[in-house]
Amino acid sequence: MMLLEPAGVSQAAQFLTSVSFEDLWNVVGARFSALGWPRQEYLEHHRDLQGFYERASSAGHAEVKVVWA
């Protein structure tokens, strides 16, 4: 579990809007495809993350991130 302060949320929002999905996919797409999810599903997740971080950043919110491994 980690807390991403408002400044970190803003940085994440800026990153997600500055780098294209295609650029990200070119780096990790082969590994993600091996997990069995279609490329389109990752694209939709990317768009959802862009929207989430844009809204959170605009509102000055922090974010709690939880990762289960």
Side-chain angles (χ1 to χ4, degrees):
M1 193 178 214
M2 70 178 273
L3 175 66
L4 191 58
E5 298 286 344
V9 171
S10 180
Q11 287 176 329
Q14 290 172 358
F15 171 78
L16 287 168
T17 58
S18 68
V19 67
S20 75
F21 175 79
E22 292 304 321
D23 290 343
L24 294 172
W25 189 254
N26 288 336
V27 174
V28 296
R31 287 182 276 164
F32 282 3
S33 292
L35 297 174
W37 287 6
R39 180 187 174 282
Q40 183 63 30
E41 207 162 323
Y42 285 107
L43 176 59
E44 290 169 14
H45 285 300
H46 179 74
R47 289 179 180 154
D48 289 345
L49 282 173
Q50 283 178 316
F52 172 81
Y53 278 99
E54 285 176 27
R55 290 187 303 276
S57 177
S58 293
H61 290 172
E63 176 198 3
V64 175
K65 295 175 75 168
V66 178
V67 178
W68 287 269

